[in-house]
Amino acid sequence: METVEMNSVSLKRPHSEDDVANADEIKRQKISEKSQTGNNSGQSVETVKEQPDKSLLEDTKNEIIPNEEGEEQEDEELEDSDEDGDPESFADMMKHGLTESDVGITKFVSSHKGFSGILKERYSDFVVHEIGKDGRVSHLDDFSVPVDDEVNSEDPSEETFTVLSDEDKQRLEELQLLKNKETSVAIEVIEDSKEKRTVIHQAVKSLFPGLETKTEDRDGKKYIIAYHAAGKKALAKVRTATDPRKHSWPKSRGSYCHFVLYKENKDTMDAINVLSKFLRVKPNIFSYMGTKDKRAITVQEIAVLRITAQRLAHLNKCLMNFKLGNFSYKNHPLKLGELQGNHFTVVLRNITGTDDQIEQAMNSLREIGFINYYGMQRFGTTAVPTYQIGRAILQNNWNEVMDLILKPRPGAEKGYLVKCREEWAKTKDPAAALKKLPVKRCVEGQLLRGLLKYGMKNIISAFGIIPRNNRLMYTHSYQSYVWNNMVSKRIEEYGLKAVPGDLTLKGATAVHIEEKDVHNYTIHDVVMPLPGFDVIYPKHKIGEAYKEMLVADNLDINNMRHKIRDYSLSGAYRKIIIRPQNVNWEVVAYDDPKIPLFTTDLDKLEGKPLPVLPTDGKFRALKMEFSLPPSTYATMAIREVLKMDTSIKNQTQLNTTWLR
């Protein structure tokens, strides 16, 4: 097996933003007509920005929800780049972005000649199915609601969701959140009957936890009066506890409703924000095993505490780009990282490779695999890479951290961020810069609020306002940057075989491969460390290379503990070569670039037939399937097949050339 240096840019023709917008609009209209709701994607690392969707998710797209730690979650970028405008001007702006070589991604393991193809021309060309810890692949194939052995009289009926007017709901929500001085809300019963009153009582209690109801006669008319049972104290319990209305939950039913979330072109956290908003609960009662990509169709399992399957199923009629199904009740939540991996179905359109090239590329992927690089999403998309901020944190250089986050930067960004940075550069006044930000929950806004609160001389506390997971993203990005560079050096120096001094895992413990045992190992057994205080390093040239790289960055590899505990890096081990499982592929011909080339779970549920494809179409596409373990980047596998640079900078510049 030989290694191949990447020394030329790909001929891949990426999509223009206009193409993306048009394709997405067509798909969005299709979804809207079906009242559709869904999208999920696990390990892919491609970051392709798109035009904003006119969906219910807009209200929450800038929210940052602190999460438990998990590598997949960390890869959700905190920045939003503004890519409006013609493709050429955007490509000019992206000249300041990163390329793969900037973050140490320089090697290939296969010897085949690369070819071009379009990745994610449509987001529906990239489908991800989560693989649970039991090896079961998540699929959406059942919309039915489970029936309890014990009948629960308080489960809401279908009419519960429609009996209240929008005005009633608005008044009740304000009452629930104590937004006005009202102590109660009166709802007139128009068509008075005991059954109608019961439905209204049930609707208020189930849709607005914390409110109680009673019936009153006023001037000969019946009214349902909603009120807080015990004022603010009761409200506080309902708003913060993870078990609202315990008395209404049957004892025989598991406390958690598990369901499959199918989402299209939406981020996992956006989806949970929207679900929590419509259910009027806090997002932290939801749990999941991993976050999935936005620009894809993704299918994953979610668990929610004490929300009935019936209430969840009703949301299928209300929300776009989601579908919920495969409901079941269990006694446990889900935990980040307890998945076995993700299964990918990917279409690469308009490929140029010959059948022999494709056969050689895919066989190599199946038999050898690909270098387990951290992909481009790990490092951000703007002129200030996340690893640079991480390095400044580890150096304890807080003025540099503040400067890197807030200073003006070239490249593609939203207009209000540009104005905020300009104001900061001119005045160094947090209050003045903050006024330029309509969205205060971005990292820049959070840091400015911290500086306003703690002052310019206490940057550490100001930075601490940013949610912990998002702060750690920066230091972990630096570790990934070091790892990528060291792996490229390791492969350049020693090739694709295990050598004495390499590291391998015995259980969870890393040990050095000795000369006498080297014949017992292959490259697939070799791991390399992310730098930290609790790892060991290879006993050959690469061990010294780690030290040299950190010394050049004014860091001591033997002292990775930070005076602030959060930023102390313990380190970890990562396999340098990943061999995908369940690899399959086929080449298909097509004429219409908008036609889907395979059916999704939702298509199957709706009984849509397989697309009819011509045998001699104008274009060829490579349909490929493979499974990857967690924290592995699908775009790095695709990079190995195409021999292409996956950075946005490269794609947009090539796209401009193609448009000309």
Side-chain angles (χ1 to χ4, degrees), residues 448-497:
L448 288 168
R449 279 194 293 115
L451 293 169
L452 204 55
K453 180 176 181 179
Y454 294 106
M456 298 284 286
K457 292 186 178 178
N458 194 352
I459 300 171
I460 294 175
S461 295
F463 184 70
I465 276 188
I466 298 169
R468 180 173 182 271
N469 258 13
N470 298 333
R471 286 183 278 121
L472 296 185
M473 178 196 72
Y474 295 119
T475 52
H476 293 172
S477 175
Y478 178 73
Q479 285 180 300
S480 305
Y481 169 71
V482 173
W483 194 91
N484 277 2
N485 277 279
M486 292 299 99
V487 165
S488 291
K489 280 184 179 295
R490 158 65 181 78
I491 290 174
E492 181 177 3
E493 190 71 33
Y494 300 112
L496 296 176
K497 62 181 186 298

Side-chain angles (χ1 to χ4, degrees), residues 189-230:
V189 185
I190 304 298
E191 300 168 4
D192 184 29
S193 68
K194 184 176 180 181
E195 290 75 16
K196 184 66 175 286
R197 293 197 300 272
T198 299
V199 170
I200 296 175
H201 283 294
Q202 193 179 58
V204 173
K205 291 177 181 179
S206 61
L207 298 179
F208 300 91
L211 298 185
E212 294 294 337
T213 56
K214 60 184 178 181
T215 304
E216 283 188 5
D217 282 308
R218 295 182 181 179
D219 302 325
K221 295 180 180 178
K222 295 278 189 185
Y223 287 85
I224 305 297
I225 310 299
Y227 62 96
H228 282 293

Side-chain angles (χ1 to χ4, degrees), residues 274-542:
V274 173
L275 293 177
S276 61
K277 180 179 177 182
F278 275 80
L279 294 166
R280 293 182 172 85
V281 296
K282 286 187 175 290
N284 63 4
I285 71 170
F286 290 87
S287 58
Y288 46 88
M289 295 182 285
T291 59
K292 309 299 178 195
D293 246 2
K294 175 180 178 179
R295 188 167 170 75
I297 293 174
T298 66
V299 185
Q300 72 183 112
E301 189 174 351
I302 306 283
V304 61
L305 182 64
R306 290 180 182 262
I307 298 292
T308 64
Q310 190 172 12
R311 285 184 69 187
L312 292 166
H314 176 75
L315 297 180
N316 283 334
K317 300 180 181 179
C318 310
L319 301 175
M320 294 175 61
N321 299 356
F322 301 55
K323 283 290 184 188
L324 315 180
N326 295 79
F327 303 102
S328 63
Y329 293 107
K330 299 180 182 179
N331 288 316
H332 59 84
L334 295 169
K335 293 180 181 177
L336 267 176
E338 65 180 7
L339 71 167
Q340 211 177 89
N342 292 282
H343 185 74
F344 295 87
T345 306
V346 179
V347 170
L348 301 175
R349 292 181 183 255
N350 202 15
I351 55 169
T352 60
T354 64
D355 289 345
D356 283 346
Q357 281 177 292
I358 293 165
E359 194 77 9
Q360 189 180 354
M362 294 306 299
N363 277 320
S364 174
L365 183 68
R366 181 162 60 189
E367 292 163 15
I368 303 172
F370 62 97
I371 304 171
N372 194 17
Y373 286 125
Y374 288 95
M376 296 305 295
Q377 184 175 321
R378 190 74 158 176
F379 306 102
T381 56
T382 67
V384 179
T386 52
Y387 75 80
Q388 289 183 4
I389 299 169
R391 178 169 56 201
I393 292 170
L394 296 173
Q395 292 168 342
N396 218 27
N397 187 345
W398 293 100
N399 283 310
E400 175 80 354
V401 171
M402 178 178 68
D403 191 45
L404 286 170
I405 292 174
L406 295 178
K407 72 179 181 181
R409 57 181 69 171
E413 278 203 307
K414 289 193 178 297
Y416 59 75
L417 269 177
V418 174
K419 291 175 183 174
C420 169
R421 296 187 194 286
E422 288 171 349
E423 184 66 32
W424 173 256
K426 186 169 64 177
T427 65
K428 289 293 189 285
D429 180 352
L434 207 50
K435 285 179 183 175
K436 303 290 184 182
L437 276 183
V439 179
K440 304 292 192 289
R441 286 191 152 185
C442 59
V443 168
E444 293 81 2
Q446 289 167 328
L447 179 55
L448 288 168
R449 279 194 293 115
L451 293 169
L452 204 55
K453 180 176 181 179
Y454 294 106
M456 298 284 286
K457 292 186 178 178
N458 194 352
I459 300 171
I460 294 175
S461 295
F463 184 70
I465 276 188
I466 298 169
R468 180 173 182 271
N469 258 13
N470 298 333
R471 286 183 278 121
L472 296 185
M473 178 196 72
Y474 295 119
T475 52
H476 293 172
S477 175
Y478 178 73
Q479 285 180 300
S480 305
Y481 169 71
V482 173
W483 194 91
N484 277 2
N485 277 279
M486 292 299 99
V487 165
S488 291
K489 280 184 179 295
R490 158 65 181 78
I491 290 174
E492 181 177 3
E493 190 71 33
Y494 300 112
L496 296 176
K497 62 181 186 298
V499 298
D502 273 335
L503 293 169
T504 190
L505 291 177
K506 297 287 188 186
T509 305
V511 297
H512 290 104
I513 297 176
E514 302 295 338
E515 179 103 45
K516 60 183 174 60
D517 300 321
V518 73
H519 63 279
N520 294 325
Y521 298 97
T522 72
I523 192 67
H524 297 100
D525 300 311
V526 177
V527 298
M528 284 183 59
L530 285 91
F533 60 78
D534 198 26
V535 295
I536 59 175
Y537 295 89
K539 281 184 179 176
H540 45 52
K541 289 181 182 178
I542 306 306

